[in-house]
Amino acid sequence: MFGKVFKYEMKAVRRILLPLYGAMILVALLFGLTTSMTTDFSGVGEGLPVIVDIAEIILSTLFFTGLTACGVITFVVLIRRFYSDFLGSEGYLQLALPVTTNVHLAARTLTAFLWTLLSGVTALLSLAVLVFIFSFEIQDLAGFFRDILNAIRSLEIPPLSMILLLLAGLASCLSGIAHLYASIAIGSLWSGHRMIGSVLAYIGTGFVWSTLDGFLGAALDNSSDFLPFHIAGIPFSLEYSVLGAMVLLALIQFILYYIAAWLILDKALNLD
Amino acid sequence: MGILDCRNLTKKYGADTALDNVNLELIPGRIVGLLGPNGSGKTTLIKLCMNLLKPTSGEILIDGMKPGPYTKSLVSYLPDRDILENWMNVLQLLDFYTDFYQDFDAGRAVNMLSSLGIDERMPLRKMSKGTREKVQLIMTMSRRAKVYLLDEPIAGVDPAARDYILRTIISNYDPEAMVLISTHLIADVESVLDEAIFIRQGRVDLFDSCDSIRERTGLTLDEYFRRTYHFE
């Protein structure tokens, strides 16, 4: 049943988000092209009509607001979907399905996680399109990517740090989603004004966690070595310890919020 | 044990009691009317059966089990509101029901949809309220379920649509199944009911076969309802 719930959640969201991401990349492409024409990299831009300048201004506004809008709209769509699936009219269809609460929650968490990643990939891709067009005079795509890789290598970040950084990002994304879902679940315990209840729950749980996070982080930082790395035989490094602690704390946060959301939605949800 | 049992079932919303110590045993093969004025607890009882509400005390058993994924696979539920996903068209809705309900008879649904001339490719968001209600009813009645819970299926529709809805229910439910129809429009459903539950302020006033009620009172169910629940 997990696969089926996941399939329909992806379908429900993709009709809004995919065109949005596609439009974002298209705007980046057009913005890059008009900018490269007006800045006259290749000398073909001389004597261009004023309409190209106007188009560039409009596209630059669209591009920079679009970058923010992609994230904001993804965030709003995913929250709205979850809220209506559990607390709105759609709940009467979704919660009547022969599916456990855990499957409902897990499928929606995975959906939100993938779309959040995709919105990040879209932002990176849009920037990459711009950079690529600006460096088009090189006319060497392989060389362009080789330069990027060389630039990253020149930072001399150890591979384990890169992996830990990536894991910390992914774990924070998961815990952020679970935080939102737990807040909506807590908000559902209000007899009325559930949306306000959810916002207050988000602020309250965020405050509690950040306090707890401070204590836990301090405890982990003060230790001479990060236990999982010590067990794995990785030599001590402050950088590894801090990044490892970030991953661990984000995962703990994810698990706690997920369990809270699951318990409330399974045991205490009363649909209006 | 019936297919649907309520034992000392109580549901409170804060200080308000929506259902008060309800005991019922509904057996298969019957069409049962859940009859009562607005706010009497009919919808609350059905939502408790679907686990959309949690009881304050007491329990509900469907086929001997507490409401959960198993009982939901046995129960076909028509809520008292529009629940269709706007992003789907009818074909996608058929796929949705086929995916989740093993007892869903897509052929039966397609026949009913075509008899009403409903375009399967039309997005649900573009349909009129009445057409959406019919689509919802068709999906509900196209399952070969053990229990049908129909919450106000004829409220807010014109008399012609009422006839269609009742015909659809009568001609599509499995004779071995139990159908519970909640309504306050008793005259319209009286002819199809085998048994009636009269409910008021969360309490079951009367639960008996329709023939027995008519015989004992000398009144139709509608007349009995009007006399018993009239406002001074």
PDB file of all heavy atoms in Angstrom, chain A residues 4 7-8 15 81 92 94-98 266 269-272, chain B residues 11 47 52-54 69 72 77 81 83 85 87 95-96 99-101:
ATOM      1  N   LYS A   4       1.365   2.639  -3.407  1.00  0.00           N
ATOM      2  CA  LYS A   4       0.160   3.243  -4.003  1.00  0.00           C
ATOM      3  C   LYS A   4      -0.091   4.642  -3.430  1.00  0.00           C
ATOM      4  O   LYS A   4      -0.388   5.580  -4.167  1.00  0.00           O
ATOM      5  CB  LYS A   4      -1.051   2.345  -3.737  1.00  0.00           C
ATOM      6  CG  LYS A   4      -1.004   1.045  -4.521  1.00  0.00           C
ATOM      7  CD  LYS A   4      -2.142   0.133  -4.133  1.00  0.00           C
ATOM      8  CE  LYS A   4      -2.011  -1.189  -4.879  1.00  0.00           C
ATOM      9  NZ  LYS A   4      -3.002  -2.174  -4.432  1.00  0.00           N
ATOM     10  N   LYS A   7       2.491   6.927  -4.855  1.00  0.00           N
ATOM     11  CA  LYS A   7       2.220   7.237  -6.269  1.00  0.00           C
ATOM     12  C   LYS A   7       1.193   8.377  -6.389  1.00  0.00           C
ATOM     13  O   LYS A   7       1.397   9.337  -7.132  1.00  0.00           O
ATOM     14  CB  LYS A   7       1.684   5.982  -6.973  1.00  0.00           C
ATOM     15  CG  LYS A   7       1.342   6.182  -8.429  1.00  0.00           C
ATOM     16  CD  LYS A   7       0.900   4.885  -9.090  1.00  0.00           C
ATOM     17  CE  LYS A   7      -0.558   4.611  -8.910  1.00  0.00           C
ATOM     18  NZ  LYS A   7      -1.070   3.461  -9.667  1.00  0.00           N
ATOM     19  N   TYR A   8       0.095   8.276  -5.634  1.00  0.00           N
ATOM     20  CA  TYR A   8      -0.947   9.294  -5.760  1.00  0.00           C
ATOM     21  C   TYR A   8      -0.523  10.624  -5.138  1.00  0.00           C
ATOM     22  O   TYR A   8      -0.933  11.691  -5.618  1.00  0.00           O
ATOM     23  CB  TYR A   8      -2.274   8.788  -5.180  1.00  0.00           C
ATOM     24  CG  TYR A   8      -2.933   7.826  -6.139  1.00  0.00           C
ATOM     25  CD1 TYR A   8      -2.816   6.456  -5.990  1.00  0.00           C
ATOM     26  CD2 TYR A   8      -3.627   8.306  -7.248  1.00  0.00           C
ATOM     27  CE1 TYR A   8      -3.379   5.574  -6.899  1.00  0.00           C
ATOM     28  CE2 TYR A   8      -4.200   7.439  -8.164  1.00  0.00           C
ATOM     29  CZ  TYR A   8      -4.069   6.078  -7.987  1.00  0.00           C
ATOM     30  OH  TYR A   8      -4.629   5.224  -8.910  1.00  0.00           O
ATOM     31  N   ARG A  15       1.608  18.038 -10.572  1.00  0.00           N
ATOM     32  CA  ARG A  15       0.911  18.867 -11.567  1.00  0.00           C
ATOM     33  C   ARG A  15       1.138  20.344 -11.276  1.00  0.00           C
ATOM     34  O   ARG A  15       0.992  21.180 -12.158  1.00  0.00           O
ATOM     35  CB  ARG A  15      -0.574  18.503 -11.605  1.00  0.00           C
ATOM     36  CG  ARG A  15      -1.359  19.097 -10.510  1.00  0.00           C
ATOM     37  CD  ARG A  15      -2.566  18.336 -10.075  1.00  0.00           C
ATOM     38  NE  ARG A  15      -2.859  18.660  -8.712  1.00  0.00           N
ATOM     39  CZ  ARG A  15      -3.573  19.715  -8.343  1.00  0.00           C
ATOM     40  NH1 ARG A  15      -4.087  20.502  -9.240  1.00  0.00           N
ATOM     41  NH2 ARG A  15      -3.775  19.973  -7.078  1.00  0.00           N
ATOM     42  N   ARG A  81      -1.112  20.299   1.167  1.00  0.00           N
ATOM     43  CA  ARG A  81      -1.496  18.932   0.803  1.00  0.00           C
ATOM     44  C   ARG A  81      -1.639  18.067   2.068  1.00  0.00           C
ATOM     45  O   ARG A  81      -2.612  17.345   2.232  1.00  0.00           O
ATOM     46  CB  ARG A  81      -0.421  18.350  -0.125  1.00  0.00           C
ATOM     47  CG  ARG A  81      -0.641  16.929  -0.549  1.00  0.00           C
ATOM     48  CD  ARG A  81      -1.679  16.814  -1.639  1.00  0.00           C
ATOM     49  NE  ARG A  81      -2.118  15.433  -1.784  1.00  0.00           N
ATOM     50  CZ  ARG A  81      -3.277  15.051  -2.288  1.00  0.00           C
ATOM     51  NH1 ARG A  81      -4.131  15.953  -2.707  1.00  0.00           N
ATOM     52  NH2 ARG A  81      -3.608  13.800  -2.386  1.00  0.00           N
ATOM     53  N   TYR A  92     -11.571  12.675   4.244  1.00  0.00           N
ATOM     54  CA  TYR A  92     -12.656  11.688   4.207  1.00  0.00           C
ATOM     55  C   TYR A  92     -12.408  10.630   3.140  1.00  0.00           C
ATOM     56  O   TYR A  92     -12.885   9.508   3.249  1.00  0.00           O
ATOM     57  CB  TYR A  92     -13.998  12.381   3.940  1.00  0.00           C
ATOM     58  CG  TYR A  92     -14.522  13.121   5.145  1.00  0.00           C
ATOM     59  CD1 TYR A  92     -14.041  14.378   5.480  1.00  0.00           C
ATOM     60  CD2 TYR A  92     -15.479  12.549   5.963  1.00  0.00           C
ATOM     61  CE1 TYR A  92     -14.496  15.051   6.595  1.00  0.00           C
ATOM     62  CE2 TYR A  92     -15.949  13.211   7.082  1.00  0.00           C
ATOM     63  CZ  TYR A  92     -15.453  14.460   7.387  1.00  0.00           C
ATOM     64  OH  TYR A  92     -15.908  15.115   8.503  1.00  0.00           O
ATOM     65  N   GLN A  94      -9.049  10.026   1.895  1.00  0.00           N
ATOM     66  CA  GLN A  94      -7.747   9.420   2.203  1.00  0.00           C
ATOM     67  C   GLN A  94      -7.805   8.507   3.430  1.00  0.00           C
ATOM     68  O   GLN A  94      -7.276   7.403   3.417  1.00  0.00           O
ATOM     69  CB  GLN A  94      -6.697  10.514   2.440  1.00  0.00           C
ATOM     70  CG  GLN A  94      -6.416  11.387   1.226  1.00  0.00           C
ATOM     71  CD  GLN A  94      -5.711  10.644   0.115  1.00  0.00           C
ATOM     72  OE1 GLN A  94      -5.063   9.639   0.350  1.00  0.00           O
ATOM     73  NE2 GLN A  94      -5.861  11.122  -1.113  1.00  0.00           N
ATOM     74  N   LEU A  95      -8.459   8.995   4.496  1.00  0.00           N
ATOM     75  CA  LEU A  95      -8.455   8.227   5.743  1.00  0.00           C
ATOM     76  C   LEU A  95      -9.480   7.093   5.737  1.00  0.00           C
ATOM     77  O   LEU A  95      -9.517   6.294   6.666  1.00  0.00           O
ATOM     78  CB  LEU A  95      -8.678   9.155   6.942  1.00  0.00           C
ATOM     79  CG  LEU A  95      -7.604  10.237   7.109  1.00  0.00           C
ATOM     80  CD1 LEU A  95      -7.940  11.157   8.266  1.00  0.00           C
ATOM     81  CD2 LEU A  95      -6.225   9.625   7.309  1.00  0.00           C
ATOM     82  N   ALA A  96     -10.292   7.027   4.689  1.00  0.00           N
ATOM     83  CA  ALA A  96     -11.202   5.878   4.555  1.00  0.00           C
ATOM     84  C   ALA A  96     -10.514   4.724   3.826  1.00  0.00           C
ATOM     85  O   ALA A  96     -11.067   3.628   3.727  1.00  0.00           O
ATOM     86  CB  ALA A  96     -12.462   6.298   3.801  1.00  0.00           C
ATOM     87  N   LEU A  97      -9.308   4.974   3.318  1.00  0.00           N
ATOM     88  CA  LEU A  97      -8.587   3.914   2.605  1.00  0.00           C
ATOM     89  C   LEU A  97      -8.097   2.843   3.587  1.00  0.00           C
ATOM     90  O   LEU A  97      -7.775   3.169   4.732  1.00  0.00           O
ATOM     91  CB  LEU A  97      -7.378   4.499   1.860  1.00  0.00           C
ATOM     92  CG  LEU A  97      -7.671   5.517   0.769  1.00  0.00           C
ATOM     93  CD1 LEU A  97      -6.363   6.116   0.241  1.00  0.00           C
ATOM     94  CD2 LEU A  97      -8.453   4.894  -0.368  1.00  0.00           C
ATOM     95  N   PRO A  98      -8.016   1.592   3.140  1.00  0.00           N
ATOM     96  CA  PRO A  98      -7.546   0.535   4.046  1.00  0.00           C
ATOM     97  C   PRO A  98      -6.022   0.570   4.208  1.00  0.00           C
ATOM     98  O   PRO A  98      -5.296  -0.318   3.757  1.00  0.00           O
ATOM     99  CB  PRO A  98      -8.013  -0.750   3.350  1.00  0.00           C
ATOM    100  CG  PRO A  98      -8.127  -0.392   1.913  1.00  0.00           C
ATOM    101  CD  PRO A  98      -8.438   1.064   1.829  1.00  0.00           C
ATOM    102  N   ASP A 266      -2.699   8.830  14.644  1.00  0.00           N
ATOM    103  CA  ASP A 266      -3.259   7.481  14.763  1.00  0.00           C
ATOM    104  C   ASP A 266      -4.229   7.354  15.935  1.00  0.00           C
ATOM    105  O   ASP A 266      -5.260   6.710  15.818  1.00  0.00           O
ATOM    106  CB  ASP A 266      -2.123   6.470  14.927  1.00  0.00           C
ATOM    107  CG  ASP A 266      -2.602   5.046  14.728  1.00  0.00           C
ATOM    108  OD1 ASP A 266      -3.100   4.759  13.623  1.00  0.00           O
ATOM    109  OD2 ASP A 266      -2.493   4.235  15.668  1.00  0.00           O
ATOM    110  N   LEU A 269      -6.697  11.661  16.297  1.00  0.00           N
ATOM    111  CA  LEU A 269      -7.251  12.541  15.254  1.00  0.00           C
ATOM    112  C   LEU A 269      -8.778  12.455  15.214  1.00  0.00           C
ATOM    113  O   LEU A 269      -9.349  11.370  15.148  1.00  0.00           O
ATOM    114  CB  LEU A 269      -6.693  12.158  13.876  1.00  0.00           C
ATOM    115  CG  LEU A 269      -7.235  12.999  12.714  1.00  0.00           C
ATOM    116  CD1 LEU A 269      -6.760  14.441  12.808  1.00  0.00           C
ATOM    117  CD2 LEU A 269      -6.829  12.418  11.376  1.00  0.00           C
ATOM    118  N   ASN A 270      -9.420  13.595  15.280  1.00  0.00           N
ATOM    119  CA  ASN A 270     -10.869  13.684  15.105  1.00  0.00           C
ATOM    120  C   ASN A 270     -11.126  14.618  13.932  1.00  0.00           C
ATOM    121  O   ASN A 270     -10.878  15.819  14.025  1.00  0.00           O
ATOM    122  CB  ASN A 270     -11.537  14.220  16.375  1.00  0.00           C
ATOM    123  CG  ASN A 270     -11.581  13.172  17.462  1.00  0.00           C
ATOM    124  OD1 ASN A 270     -12.165  12.106  17.306  1.00  0.00           O
ATOM    125  ND2 ASN A 270     -10.934  13.456  18.583  1.00  0.00           N
ATOM    126  N   LEU A 271     -11.614  14.050  12.852  1.00  0.00           N
ATOM    127  CA  LEU A 271     -11.833  14.850  11.643  1.00  0.00           C
ATOM    128  C   LEU A 271     -13.102  15.688  11.810  1.00  0.00           C
ATOM    129  O   LEU A 271     -14.133  15.167  12.207  1.00  0.00           O
ATOM    130  CB  LEU A 271     -11.982  13.883  10.456  1.00  0.00           C
ATOM    131  CG  LEU A 271     -11.592  14.375   9.087  1.00  0.00           C
ATOM    132  CD1 LEU A 271     -10.159  14.859   9.054  1.00  0.00           C
ATOM    133  CD2 LEU A 271     -11.785  13.262   8.072  1.00  0.00           C
ATOM    134  N   ASP A 272     -13.009  16.988  11.496  1.00  0.00           N
ATOM    135  CA  ASP A 272     -14.190  17.873  11.617  1.00  0.00           C
ATOM    136  C   ASP A 272     -15.268  17.492  10.620  1.00  0.00           C
ATOM    137  O   ASP A 272     -14.976  17.124   9.507  1.00  0.00           O
ATOM    138  CB  ASP A 272     -13.768  19.318  11.348  1.00  0.00           C
ATOM    139  CG  ASP A 272     -13.251  19.971  12.612  1.00  0.00           C
ATOM    140  OD1 ASP A 272     -13.538  19.448  13.699  1.00  0.00           O
ATOM    141  OD2 ASP A 272     -12.543  20.984  12.490  1.00  0.00           O
TER     142      ASP A 272
ATOM    143  N   LYS B  11     -19.510   9.413  22.644  1.00  0.00           N
ATOM    144  CA  LYS B  11     -18.577  10.381  22.065  1.00  0.00           C
ATOM    145  C   LYS B  11     -18.920  11.770  22.597  1.00  0.00           C
ATOM    146  O   LYS B  11     -20.060  12.231  22.470  1.00  0.00           O
ATOM    147  CB  LYS B  11     -18.667  10.368  20.528  1.00  0.00           C
ATOM    148  CG  LYS B  11     -17.805  11.421  19.839  1.00  0.00           C
ATOM    149  CD  LYS B  11     -16.335  11.196  20.071  1.00  0.00           C
ATOM    150  CE  LYS B  11     -15.480  12.316  19.506  1.00  0.00           C
ATOM    151  NZ  LYS B  11     -14.066  12.147  19.836  1.00  0.00           N
ATOM    152  N   LYS B  47     -18.947   8.367  11.421  1.00  0.00           N
ATOM    153  CA  LYS B  47     -17.514   8.715  11.435  1.00  0.00           C
ATOM    154  C   LYS B  47     -16.742   7.859  12.446  1.00  0.00           C
ATOM    155  O   LYS B  47     -15.580   7.521  12.214  1.00  0.00           O
ATOM    156  CB  LYS B  47     -17.339  10.204  11.729  1.00  0.00           C
ATOM    157  CG  LYS B  47     -17.627  11.078  10.498  1.00  0.00           C
ATOM    158  CD  LYS B  47     -17.856  12.517  10.842  1.00  0.00           C
ATOM    159  CE  LYS B  47     -16.593  13.266  11.137  1.00  0.00           C
ATOM    160  NZ  LYS B  47     -16.835  14.715  11.329  1.00  0.00           N
ATOM    161  N   LEU B  52     -12.741   7.944  11.787  1.00  0.00           N
ATOM    162  CA  LEU B  52     -12.433   9.357  11.540  1.00  0.00           C
ATOM    163  C   LEU B  52     -12.597  10.158  12.826  1.00  0.00           C
ATOM    164  O   LEU B  52     -12.148  11.298  12.923  1.00  0.00           O
ATOM    165  CB  LEU B  52     -13.340   9.928  10.445  1.00  0.00           C
ATOM    166  CG  LEU B  52     -13.276   9.206   9.094  1.00  0.00           C
ATOM    167  CD1 LEU B  52     -14.284   9.785   8.111  1.00  0.00           C
ATOM    168  CD2 LEU B  52     -11.869   9.266   8.512  1.00  0.00           C
ATOM    169  N   LEU B  53     -13.287   9.558  13.780  1.00  0.00           N
ATOM    170  CA  LEU B  53     -13.389  10.089  15.135  1.00  0.00           C
ATOM    171  C   LEU B  53     -13.005   8.969  16.093  1.00  0.00           C
ATOM    172  O   LEU B  53     -13.151   7.791  15.755  1.00  0.00           O
ATOM    173  CB  LEU B  53     -14.826  10.522  15.444  1.00  0.00           C
ATOM    174  CG  LEU B  53     -15.433  11.696  14.677  1.00  0.00           C
ATOM    175  CD1 LEU B  53     -16.890  11.878  15.075  1.00  0.00           C
ATOM    176  CD2 LEU B  53     -14.656  12.972  14.941  1.00  0.00           C
ATOM    177  N   LYS B  54     -12.518   9.347  17.257  1.00  0.00           N
ATOM    178  CA  LYS B  54     -12.176   8.342  18.273  1.00  0.00           C
ATOM    179  C   LYS B  54     -13.232   8.382  19.377  1.00  0.00           C
ATOM    180  O   LYS B  54     -13.596   9.479  19.829  1.00  0.00           O
ATOM    181  CB  LYS B  54     -10.788   8.641  18.871  1.00  0.00           C
ATOM    182  CG  LYS B  54      -9.687   8.832  17.822  1.00  0.00           C
ATOM    183  CD  LYS B  54      -9.385   7.554  17.062  1.00  0.00           C
ATOM    184  CE  LYS B  54      -8.269   7.736  16.055  1.00  0.00           C
ATOM    185  NZ  LYS B  54      -8.629   8.447  14.829  1.00  0.00           N
ATOM    186  N   PRO B  69      -7.464  -0.565   9.179  1.00  0.00           N
ATOM    187  CA  PRO B  69      -7.319  -0.912   7.757  1.00  0.00           C
ATOM    188  C   PRO B  69      -8.176  -2.115   7.333  1.00  0.00           C
ATOM    189  O   PRO B  69      -8.763  -2.097   6.255  1.00  0.00           O
ATOM    190  CB  PRO B  69      -5.822  -1.231   7.633  1.00  0.00           C
ATOM    191  CG  PRO B  69      -5.187  -0.392   8.688  1.00  0.00           C
ATOM    192  CD  PRO B  69      -6.155  -0.375   9.835  1.00  0.00           C
ATOM    193  N   LYS B  72     -11.829  -1.068   7.098  1.00  0.00           N
ATOM    194  CA  LYS B  72     -12.018  -0.124   5.987  1.00  0.00           C
ATOM    195  C   LYS B  72     -12.034  -0.843   4.645  1.00  0.00           C
ATOM    196  O   LYS B  72     -12.590  -0.339   3.670  1.00  0.00           O
ATOM    197  CB  LYS B  72     -10.924   0.949   6.015  1.00  0.00           C
ATOM    198  CG  LYS B  72     -11.117   1.932   7.166  1.00  0.00           C
ATOM    199  CD  LYS B  72      -9.963   2.909   7.274  1.00  0.00           C
ATOM    200  CE  LYS B  72     -10.138   3.791   8.505  1.00  0.00           C
ATOM    201  NZ  LYS B  72      -9.007   4.712   8.700  1.00  0.00           N
ATOM    202  N   TYR B  77     -17.921   3.708   2.071  1.00  0.00           N
ATOM    203  CA  TYR B  77     -18.397   4.870   2.830  1.00  0.00           C
ATOM    204  C   TYR B  77     -18.689   6.046   1.911  1.00  0.00           C
ATOM    205  O   TYR B  77     -17.851   6.431   1.093  1.00  0.00           O
ATOM    206  CB  TYR B  77     -17.298   5.229   3.840  1.00  0.00           C
ATOM    207  CG  TYR B  77     -17.438   6.539   4.567  1.00  0.00           C
ATOM    208  CD1 TYR B  77     -18.622   6.901   5.200  1.00  0.00           C
ATOM    209  CD2 TYR B  77     -16.353   7.413   4.660  1.00  0.00           C
ATOM    210  CE1 TYR B  77     -18.717   8.100   5.891  1.00  0.00           C
ATOM    211  CE2 TYR B  77     -16.438   8.602   5.361  1.00  0.00           C
ATOM    212  CZ  TYR B  77     -17.630   8.941   5.973  1.00  0.00           C
ATOM    213  OH  TYR B  77     -17.715  10.126   6.647  1.00  0.00           O
ATOM    214  N   ARG B  81     -20.329  14.977   2.451  1.00  0.00           N
ATOM    215  CA  ARG B  81     -19.728  16.161   1.822  1.00  0.00           C
ATOM    216  C   ARG B  81     -18.943  15.757   0.580  1.00  0.00           C
ATOM    217  O   ARG B  81     -18.731  14.576   0.335  1.00  0.00           O
ATOM    218  CB  ARG B  81     -18.805  16.863   2.803  1.00  0.00           C
ATOM    219  CG  ARG B  81     -17.612  15.992   3.218  1.00  0.00           C
ATOM    220  CD  ARG B  81     -16.899  16.567   4.398  1.00  0.00           C
ATOM    221  NE  ARG B  81     -17.721  16.461   5.590  1.00  0.00           N
ATOM    222  CZ  ARG B  81     -17.570  17.226   6.665  1.00  0.00           C
ATOM    223  NH1 ARG B  81     -16.643  18.144   6.696  1.00  0.00           N
ATOM    224  NH2 ARG B  81     -18.338  17.059   7.736  1.00  0.00           N
ATOM    225  N   ILE B  83     -15.860  15.045  -1.382  1.00  0.00           N
ATOM    226  CA  ILE B  83     -14.519  14.620  -0.965  1.00  0.00           C
ATOM    227  C   ILE B  83     -13.598  14.339  -2.152  1.00  0.00           C
ATOM    228  O   ILE B  83     -12.471  13.912  -1.972  1.00  0.00           O
ATOM    229  CB  ILE B  83     -14.592  13.337  -0.108  1.00  0.00           C
ATOM    230  CG1 ILE B  83     -15.246  12.206  -0.908  1.00  0.00           C
ATOM    231  CG2 ILE B  83     -15.310  13.599   1.185  1.00  0.00           C
ATOM    232  CD1 ILE B  83     -14.971  10.840  -0.345  1.00  0.00           C
ATOM    233  N   GLU B  85     -11.004  14.475  -5.169  1.00  0.00           N
ATOM    234  CA  GLU B  85      -9.761  15.226  -5.404  1.00  0.00           C
ATOM    235  C   GLU B  85      -9.912  15.989  -6.719  1.00  0.00           C
ATOM    236  O   GLU B  85     -10.109  15.381  -7.776  1.00  0.00           O
ATOM    237  CB  GLU B  85      -8.585  14.243  -5.513  1.00  0.00           C
ATOM    238  CG  GLU B  85      -8.347  13.447  -4.245  1.00  0.00           C
ATOM    239  CD  GLU B  85      -7.166  13.964  -3.445  1.00  0.00           C
ATOM    240  OE1 GLU B  85      -6.671  15.058  -3.760  1.00  0.00           O
ATOM    241  OE2 GLU B  85      -6.744  13.257  -2.523  1.00  0.00           O
ATOM    242  N   TRP B  87      -7.876  17.367  -8.682  1.00  0.00           N
ATOM    243  CA  TRP B  87      -6.876  17.210  -9.741  1.00  0.00           C
ATOM    244  C   TRP B  87      -7.146  15.977 -10.608  1.00  0.00           C
ATOM    245  O   TRP B  87      -6.537  15.821 -11.662  1.00  0.00           O
ATOM    246  CB  TRP B  87      -5.467  17.145  -9.156  1.00  0.00           C
ATOM    247  CG  TRP B  87      -5.213  15.989  -8.239  1.00  0.00           C
ATOM    248  CD1 TRP B  87      -5.412  15.957  -6.897  1.00  0.00           C
ATOM    249  CD2 TRP B  87      -4.704  14.699  -8.588  1.00  0.00           C
ATOM    250  NE1 TRP B  87      -5.071  14.738  -6.390  1.00  0.00           N
ATOM    251  CE2 TRP B  87      -4.628  13.947  -7.399  1.00  0.00           C
ATOM    252  CE3 TRP B  87      -4.302  14.097  -9.790  1.00  0.00           C
ATOM    253  CZ2 TRP B  87      -4.169  12.627  -7.370  1.00  0.00           C
ATOM    254  CZ3 TRP B  87      -3.848  12.787  -9.756  1.00  0.00           C
ATOM    255  CH2 TRP B  87      -3.786  12.066  -8.567  1.00  0.00           C
ATOM    256  N   ASP B  95      -9.091   4.448 -11.444  1.00  0.00           N
ATOM    257  CA  ASP B  95      -7.793   3.804 -11.147  1.00  0.00           C
ATOM    258  C   ASP B  95      -7.512   3.832  -9.643  1.00  0.00           C
ATOM    259  O   ASP B  95      -7.015   2.862  -9.071  1.00  0.00           O
ATOM    260  CB  ASP B  95      -6.645   4.535 -11.872  1.00  0.00           C
ATOM    261  CG  ASP B  95      -6.645   4.240 -13.357  1.00  0.00           C
ATOM    262  OD1 ASP B  95      -7.275   3.242 -13.747  1.00  0.00           O
ATOM    263  OD2 ASP B  95      -6.031   5.012 -14.116  1.00  0.00           O
ATOM    264  N   PHE B  96      -7.831   4.971  -9.049  1.00  0.00           N
ATOM    265  CA  PHE B  96      -7.597   5.148  -7.608  1.00  0.00           C
ATOM    266  C   PHE B  96      -8.375   4.091  -6.812  1.00  0.00           C
ATOM    267  O   PHE B  96      -7.816   3.401  -5.954  1.00  0.00           O
ATOM    268  CB  PHE B  96      -8.041   6.563  -7.213  1.00  0.00           C
ATOM    269  CG  PHE B  96      -7.843   6.924  -5.768  1.00  0.00           C
ATOM    270  CD1 PHE B  96      -6.631   7.420  -5.316  1.00  0.00           C
ATOM    271  CD2 PHE B  96      -8.875   6.783  -4.851  1.00  0.00           C
ATOM    272  CE1 PHE B  96      -6.451   7.778  -3.981  1.00  0.00           C
ATOM    273  CE2 PHE B  96      -8.708   7.129  -3.511  1.00  0.00           C
ATOM    274  CZ  PHE B  96      -7.491   7.630  -3.089  1.00  0.00           C
ATOM    275  N   ASP B  99      -7.022   0.607  -7.417  1.00  0.00           N
ATOM    276  CA  ASP B  99      -5.745   0.396  -6.718  1.00  0.00           C
ATOM    277  C   ASP B  99      -5.943   0.061  -5.242  1.00  0.00           C
ATOM    278  O   ASP B  99      -5.249  -0.781  -4.687  1.00  0.00           O
ATOM    279  CB  ASP B  99      -4.870   1.656  -6.820  1.00  0.00           C
ATOM    280  CG  ASP B  99      -3.990   1.641  -8.056  1.00  0.00           C
ATOM    281  OD1 ASP B  99      -3.863   0.565  -8.668  1.00  0.00           O
ATOM    282  OD2 ASP B  99      -3.429   2.695  -8.412  1.00  0.00           O
ATOM    283  N   PHE B 100      -6.880   0.753  -4.613  1.00  0.00           N
ATOM    284  CA  PHE B 100      -6.975   0.639  -3.144  1.00  0.00           C
ATOM    285  C   PHE B 100      -8.018  -0.373  -2.661  1.00  0.00           C
ATOM    286  O   PHE B 100      -7.911  -0.853  -1.538  1.00  0.00           O
ATOM    287  CB  PHE B 100      -7.257   2.008  -2.526  1.00  0.00           C
ATOM    288  CG  PHE B 100      -6.045   2.897  -2.491  1.00  0.00           C
ATOM    289  CD1 PHE B 100      -5.897   3.949  -3.387  1.00  0.00           C
ATOM    290  CD2 PHE B 100      -5.024   2.660  -1.584  1.00  0.00           C
ATOM    291  CE1 PHE B 100      -4.786   4.763  -3.363  1.00  0.00           C
ATOM    292  CE2 PHE B 100      -3.896   3.467  -1.545  1.00  0.00           C
ATOM    293  CZ  PHE B 100      -3.773   4.515  -2.442  1.00  0.00           C
ATOM    294  N   TYR B 101      -9.029  -0.638  -3.487  1.00  0.00           N
ATOM    295  CA  TYR B 101     -10.093  -1.532  -3.016  1.00  0.00           C
ATOM    296  C   TYR B 101     -10.184  -2.763  -3.905  1.00  0.00           C
ATOM    297  O   TYR B 101     -10.532  -2.660  -5.083  1.00  0.00           O
ATOM    298  CB  TYR B 101     -11.438  -0.793  -3.007  1.00  0.00           C
ATOM    299  CG  TYR B 101     -11.478   0.384  -2.062  1.00  0.00           C
ATOM    300  CD1 TYR B 101     -11.525   1.689  -2.555  1.00  0.00           C
ATOM    301  CD2 TYR B 101     -11.458   0.205  -0.680  1.00  0.00           C
ATOM    302  CE1 TYR B 101     -11.556   2.777  -1.689  1.00  0.00           C
ATOM    303  CE2 TYR B 101     -11.494   1.291   0.186  1.00  0.00           C
ATOM    304  CZ  TYR B 101     -11.542   2.565  -0.322  1.00  0.00           C
ATOM    305  OH  TYR B 101     -11.573   3.651   0.524  1.00  0.00           O
TER     306      TYR B 101
END
